[in-house]
Amino acid sequence: MTERDLFGLRVEIDEEATRAWYAQADEWDCDCGDCRNFLKLAQGRTLPTPVLEILDGLDIPPEKSTDVCEYGPEEGGRHYGLCYRIAGKILSSDEQRHSAQLDWGRGGCFHDTYPGAPGFPEPNFDLYFSLVLPWVLDEPRG
């Protein structure tokens, strides 16, 4: 287990268990336009650099999100919420959800029971990114 700071929270991460789960996981598999747009950005590694740096540091491929939500239009694109499950626990807070405002969006950690990561090791928590992503598909959003 490794202790790290993520968005102002001390967390303990089981890097081996996290890496092993993502090594066998499939890419996010929703085929709606919003999710296909996210996948194209993630596969092309065109998410914001700080997001990629965090995911790379955990050996998590960006296209293997455990939850993707599109919340609507924002200046510059579409507002997305992306989650990536992490094996480990939040040490420094018993808050349900913690997030920090950053220059590229919001990032946070929280406990979630959403079943978007079948077979994920316990204990775990979700790493969350809330950000605006451009529309890059060669089709209108709809």
Side-chain angles (χ1 to χ4, degrees):
M1 298 284 231
T2 302
E3 281 193 34
R4 290 184 60 176
D5 179 280
L6 286 175
F7 309 113
L9 287 177
R10 289 303 298 164
V11 298
E12 186 176 68
I13 298 173
D14 184 335
E15 293 176 351
E16 185 177 318
T18 300
R19 187 179 306 109
W21 189 87
Y22 281 98
Q24 58 78 40
D26 293 328
E27 292 183 353
W28 182 250
D29 65 356
C30 178
D31 66 354
C32 77
D34 294 318
C35 288
R36 286 185 293 111
N37 187 66
F38 155 73
L39 274 173
K40 184 168 184 173
L41 290 163
Q43 291 165 340
R45 298 192 51 81
T46 52
L47 299 176
T49 299
V51 172
L52 293 174
E53 287 173 349
I54 292 168
L55 295 175
D56 288 349
L58 296 167
D59 290 322
I60 298 174
E63 63 275 9
K64 292 187 177 185
S65 182
T66 55
D67 193 18
V68 175
C69 292
E70 188 275 341
Y71 297 117
E74 295 274 339
E75 185 177 330
R78 309 293 301 177
H79 181 186
Y80 281 84
L82 311 174
C83 288
Y84 297 86
R85 192 137 303 161
I86 306 293
K89 55 189 171 182
I90 299 171
L91 300 174
S92 64
S93 175
D94 33 15
E95 294 178 38
Q96 182 74 355
R97 181 180 294 256
H98 176 84
S99 67
Q101 181 66 47
L102 305 158
D103 62 354
W104 50 265
R106 293 189 77 76
C109 299
F110 64 96
H111 295 283
D112 195 4
T113 58
Y114 176 75
F120 206 91
E122 296 280 342
N124 61 58
F125 63 93
D126 279 11
L127 177 62
Y128 176 73
F129 301 104
S130 175
L131 64 165
V132 175
L133 298 175
W135 187 263
V136 295
L137 295 182
D138 292 333
E139 60 190 65
R141 187 190 179 279

